[in-house]
């Protein structure tokens, strides 16, 4: 069971919004890079987010660059899951690979600051602020297994290769 | 039931009957990363316990995004890539060689290959009939180690192209038009497959421009048939032995078909801050532009510089408009010098950048000032993309960009050619 506060963003949040290209020289210094998550789009996110909180967006989250650093800095900032109506392909894969759950659901009713309680096994999201209950879509089995191991690296360390 | 291009290639690569919707494990032919995604990939590769790069692979590291290095931290990342290449024997493409996607298309990928790169515009190689898609650093690290990856076989959207480009209208206008029509998530998780008689008149450099931007509609791959045009391109590069014809079966199943008649297209521009925000260039007349960029993996090829040079010959850029030109590779730069395009562009007042990504991702060179607008031939106009969240990026063909450099405001190229 995950519990935390929703940080709500709009549609079409790109990887350039999440971690702008001008910080590319910091990509080998992840703690430093993570200080700039959402630097232009929502500069207060990094100061207000607490471990366990949720990154909630509208449609087509994470479009753009393949930089895995985007979901990585969201995770490093403390987020325990990403909720969105839809997610761009590479960002989706990257988030799972860094061990950050992606919950595809109708986020329209979730407001910035709502307290959420998420049951990853039952597939339910309870908005404690509004009382609304949501369900989220299943992800492909192979992604599920990667996520269950904590990400792609631990998955490969355990299995040595991909298993269908 | 017949196969799409995607199903044909992925059936071979997975040694299964790959059908849209299947999850497969496929053998990769070519894998690459560059200095902004490679360091994390190398660290993941090492953390996973790999020492050697899978022997079945062509593996390449590119130093192209911030070249020459603008910052010591990035110089250290360059060092890391060079050292890894030396230790593992994988290929290194160093500063000045050019942008990964251009070099992959020019000399590394061939029709029918499975190409994965730690860069979203890996899709570019779809222009020569390779299944090419971008992934993140961890996925790429594992490919380096095991030579394979997992994929969901995407459903294909067929783009049927007919007609001929009108004067002043180019491949860039076609792909911008398509993205405007289907939206920035119109093909998410899907493949775009280009078909139709008009392909006979669409060159490989033009196909690369179109495939390059498939990802801007969310697509996993933007795939062209491998046909006589492909054969002629490879032959001219001395690579005719790498040609194989790949065309979809006539009874292949598509998710849907979108028809585009080239005769109906006109020069268009993507307005800030999303690639699907399309308008005809002629409607944007009064928008002043402080910087024009002609280059990048979308439009930094020889044909693009030829178009720009033709328009700018004997002219000067507008005094309030800077003109930057970035050839996509060393090969492009040399050929453009030989053809006289570089001389023409310098005479017109252009600043010639070293082969590489240049200002495209806002890492160095050509960062926009606050409130400034740039018309770029690149593929993305997201907020903050060119180094300043208060900058405005418009996207167009090289012809529209060159015309705009002369007038200082967005200009339909048909007005000057
Ligand atoms: S030119 Fe731009 S879009 Fe192309 S690879 Fe370089 S940074 Fe990416």
């Amino acid at each position: 069971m995950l519990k935390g506060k929703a940080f709500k963003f709009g549609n079409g949040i790109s990887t350039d919004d999440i971690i702008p290209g001008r910080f590319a020289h910091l990509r080998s210094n992840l703690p430093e890079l993570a200080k700039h998550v959402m630097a232009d789009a929502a500069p207060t996110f990094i100061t207000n987010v607490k471990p366990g909180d949720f990154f909630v967006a509208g449609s087509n989250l994470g479009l753009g660059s393949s930089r895995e650093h985007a979901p990585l800095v969201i995770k490093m900032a403390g987020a325990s899951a990403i909720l969105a109506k839809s997610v761009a392909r590479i960002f989706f894969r990257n988030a799972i690979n860094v061990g950050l759950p992606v919950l595809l659901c109708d986020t329209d009713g979730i407001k910035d600051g709502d307290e959420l309680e998420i049951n990853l096994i039952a597939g339910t999201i309870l908005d404690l602020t509004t009382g609304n209950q949501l369900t989220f879509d299943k992800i492909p089995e192979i992604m599920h297994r990667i996520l269950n191991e904590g990400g792609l690296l631990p998955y490969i360390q355990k299995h040595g290769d991909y298993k269908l | 039931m017949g196969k799409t291009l995607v199903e044909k290639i992925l059936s071979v690569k997975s040694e299964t009957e790959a059908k849209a919707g299947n999850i497969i494990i496929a053998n990769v032919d070519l894998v690459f990363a560059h200095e902004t995604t490679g360091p994390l990939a190398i660290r993941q590769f090492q953390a996973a316990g790999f020492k050697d790069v899978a022997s079945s692979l062509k593996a390449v590291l590119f130093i192209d995004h911030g070249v020459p290095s603008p910052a010591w931290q990035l110089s250290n990342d360059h060092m890391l890539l060079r050292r890894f290449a030396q230790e593992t024997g994988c290929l290194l493409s160093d500063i000045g060689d050019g942008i990964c996607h251009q070099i992959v298309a020019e000399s590394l990928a061939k029709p029918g290959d499975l190409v994965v790169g730690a860069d979203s515009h890996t899709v570019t190689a779809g222009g020569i009939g390779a299944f090419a898609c971008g992934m993140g650093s961890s996925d790429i690290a594992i490919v380096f180690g095991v030579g394979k990856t997992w994929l969901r076989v995407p459903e294909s959207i067929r783009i049927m192209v007919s007609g001929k480009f009108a004067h002043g209208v180019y491949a860039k206008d076609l792909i911008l038009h398509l993205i405007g029509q289907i939206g920035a998530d119109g093909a998410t998780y899907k493949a775009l497959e280009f078909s139709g008689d008009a392909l006979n008149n669409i060159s490989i450099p033009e196909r690369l421009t179109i495939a390059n931007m498939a990802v801007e509609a969310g697509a996993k791959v933007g795939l062209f048939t491998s046909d006589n045009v492909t054969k002629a391109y490879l032959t001219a590069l001395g690579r005719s032995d790498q040609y194989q014809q790949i065309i979809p079966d006539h009874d292949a199943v598509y998710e849907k078909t979108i028809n585009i008649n080239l005769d109906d297209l006109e020069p268009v521009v993507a307005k800030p801050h999303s690639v699907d925000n399309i308008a005809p260039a002629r409607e944007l007349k009064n928008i002043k532009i402080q910087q024009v960029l002609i280059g990048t993996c979308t439009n930094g090829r020889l044909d693009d510089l030829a178009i720009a040079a033709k328009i700018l010959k004997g002219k000067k850029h507008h005094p309030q408009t800077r003109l930057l030109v970035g050839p996509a590779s060393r090969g492009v730069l040399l050929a453009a010098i030989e053809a006289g395009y570089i001389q023409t562009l310098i005479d017109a007042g252009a600043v010639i950048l070293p082969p590489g990504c240049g200002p495209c991702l806002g890492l160095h060179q050509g960062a926009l000032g606050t409130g400034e607008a740039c018309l770029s031939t690149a593929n993305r106009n997201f907020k903050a993309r060119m180094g300043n969240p208060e900058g405005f990026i418009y996207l167009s063909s090289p012809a529209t960009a060159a015309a705009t450099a002369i007038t200082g405001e967005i200009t339909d190229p048909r007005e000057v050619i």
Side-chain angles (χ1 to χ4, degrees):
Chain A
M1 196 79 92
L2 306 174
K3 207 169 156 180
K5 210 162 102 171
F7 284 80
K8 178 78 187 279
F9 308 103
N11 296 329
I13 301 288
S14 75
T15 53
D16 278 290
D17 288 321
I18 297 166
I19 192 71
R22 67 176 183 279
F23 298 114
H25 63 291
L26 297 177
R27 287 189 194 176
S28 281
N29 184 350
L30 291 171
E32 199 50 44
L33 185 72
K35 289 182 188 163
H36 301 285
V37 57
M38 300 293 276
D40 308 317
T44 54
F45 172 66
I46 187 65
T47 42
N48 295 340
V49 64
K50 299 218 167 37
D53 286 345
F54 303 106
F55 190 100
V56 185
S59 59
N60 208 15
L61 170 65
L63 75 159
S65 151
S66 70
R67 61 192 74 150
E68 188 170 312
H69 309 76
L72 201 52
V73 292
I74 292 175
K75 188 180 179 193
M76 289 177 73
S80 62
I82 287 171
L83 283 67
K85 288 168 86 170
S86 64
V87 176
R89 185 188 77 83
I90 304 176
F91 183 86
F92 191 3
R93 225 172 137 126
N94 284 343
I96 301 297
N97 285 347
V98 303
L100 187 58
V102 178
L103 314 180
L104 294 174
C105 57
D106 184 358
T107 54
D108 278 350
I110 302 175
K111 292 186 305 302
D112 192 50
D114 283 3
E115 288 290 330
L116 308 180
E117 193 177 85
I118 296 178
N119 186 332
L120 286 178
I121 296 161
T124 54
I125 301 164
L126 180 62
D127 188 327
L128 299 169
T129 309
T130 61
N132 288 342
Q133 176 140 344
L134 297 168
T135 55
F136 55 86
D137 296 350
K138 266 206 168 126
I139 60 175
E141 182 59 29
I142 186 163
M143 286 181 128
H144 193 74
R145 275 186 268 128
I146 291 169
L147 191 58
N148 268 350
E149 298 294 351
L152 185 57
L153 192 61
Y155 174 93
I156 289 290
Q157 282 167 333
K158 184 164 169 186
H159 300 282
D161 200 345
Y162 291 108
K163 299 270 176 300
L164 274 190
Chain B
M1 209 160 51
K3 289 190 172 117
T4 61
L5 284 174
V6 162
E7 289 166 337
K8 282 203 164 171
I9 297 175
L10 293 184
S11 290
V12 174
K13 294 301 155 190
S14 65
E15 297 161 13
T16 65
E17 283 296 304
K19 278 279 156 209
N22 293 166
I23 305 272
I24 56 161
I25 293 174
N27 298 314
V28 175
D29 296 289
L30 172 62
V31 64
F32 67 91
H34 51 67
E35 78 264 44
T36 81
T37 55
L40 181 58
I42 290 172
R43 292 194 182 99
Q44 296 290 71
F45 175 89
Q46 288 163 341
F50 294 116
K51 293 221 159 39
D52 300 316
V53 172
S55 58
S56 56
L57 281 174
K58 210 185 277 178
V60 195
L61 294 169
F62 290 91
I63 302 180
D64 58 354
H65 273 57
V67 295
S69 172
W72 63 267
Q73 296 96 330
L74 207 62
S75 306
N76 288 351
D77 287 340
H78 291 180
M79 287 170 69
L80 177 67
L81 262 57
R82 291 189 189 106
R83 204 177 321 124
F84 184 80
Q86 213 162 29
E87 284 166 8
T88 59
C90 66
L91 291 174
L92 177 75
S93 180
D94 213 323
I95 69 164
D97 289 344
I99 308 170
C100 50
H101 309 303
Q102 179 61 18
I103 293 172
V104 163
E106 275 174 10
S107 47
L108 296 170
K110 60 183 191 302
D113 274 357
L114 174 56
V115 179
V116 294
D119 189 284
S120 57
H121 293 107
T122 301
V123 285
T124 310
I128 61 163
F131 187 102
C133 71
M135 291 185 183
S137 297
S138 292
D139 270 318
I140 291 300
I142 306 311
V143 175
F144 268 87
V146 303
K148 290 178 278 184
T149 195
W150 74 269
L151 289 168
R152 183 183 171 281
V153 183
E155 292 81 12
S156 293
I157 299 172
R158 177 167 57 170
I159 312 297
M160 276 294 247
V161 192
S162 61
K164 258 183 128 167
F165 285 118
H167 190 52
V169 182
Y170 298 91
K172 184 64 161 285
D173 298 303
L174 160 60
I175 187 65
L176 287 175
H177 167 85
L178 176 64
I179 295 165
Q181 186 180 333
I182 66 177
D185 57 357
T188 299
Y189 311 133
K190 313 285 183 208
L192 294 178
E193 290 195 18
F194 294 86
S195 280
D197 292 345
L199 294 198
N200 288 328
N201 297 317
I202 299 185
S203 70
I204 295 295
E206 291 175 315
R207 294 181 185 189
L208 296 172
T209 297
I210 294 165
N212 174 273
M213 292 193 71
V215 68
E216 307 311 331
K220 182 181 258 181
V221 64
L223 203 45
F224 279 82
T225 51
S226 175
D227 53 24
N228 284 333
V229 176
T230 322
K231 188 177 183 182
Y233 175 81
L234 291 171
T235 305
L237 292 169
R239 299 170 59 202
S240 56
D241 56 321
Q242 296 175 358
Y243 173 71
Q244 61 166 310
Q245 188 192 54
I246 310 174
I247 49 173
D249 290 331
H250 63 91
D251 54 346
V253 178
Y254 298 94
E255 184 175 279
K256 63 176 166 189
T257 296
I258 296 172
N259 294 301
I260 295 183
N261 186 343
L262 299 180
D263 297 298
D264 297 341
L265 300 183
E266 63 171 324
V268 289
V269 169
K271 299 184 289 179
H273 297 286
S274 69
V275 184
D276 55 5
N277 192 11
I278 302 294
R282 61 185 161 78
E283 285 177 11
L284 304 174
K285 253 192 153 168
N286 298 318
I287 295 174
K288 299 251 182 300
I289 296 292
Q290 285 75 41
Q291 177 167 296
V292 166
L293 169 65
I294 299 174
T296 80
C297 59
T298 318
N299 280 122
R301 282 175 274 280
L302 188 64
D303 303 39
D304 301 316
L305 302 189
I307 291 164
K310 196 167 168 216
I311 292 173
L312 285 155
K313 194 166 180 73
K315 306 225 170 72
K316 284 266 182 270
H317 69 85
H318 189 274
Q320 258 82 58
T321 308
R322 310 179 290 274
L323 173 59
L324 310 181
V325 175
S329 72
R330 174 179 279 116
V332 169
L333 175 60
L334 281 171
I337 290 172
E338 196 160 326
Y341 305 148
I342 297 294
Q343 180 74 47
T344 302
L345 293 166
I346 292 176
D347 287 344
V351 177
I352 308 295
L353 305 173
C357 299
C360 180
L361 79 161
L363 179 53
H364 77 144
Q365 293 180 332
L368 298 179
T370 300
E372 282 194 322
C374 178
L375 182 66
S376 164
T377 65
N379 43 37
R380 265 182 199 145
N381 59 352
F382 303 153
K383 219 173 162 94
R385 176 84 182 163
M386 291 181 81
N388 188 338
E390 307 294 333
F392 298 85
I393 306 168
Y394 296 82
L395 307 174
S396 77
S397 74
T400 305
T404 298
I406 297 169
T407 61
E409 52 189 38
I410 295 178
T411 301
D412 185 320
R414 294 172 299 187
E415 287 181 19
V416 301
I417 54 180

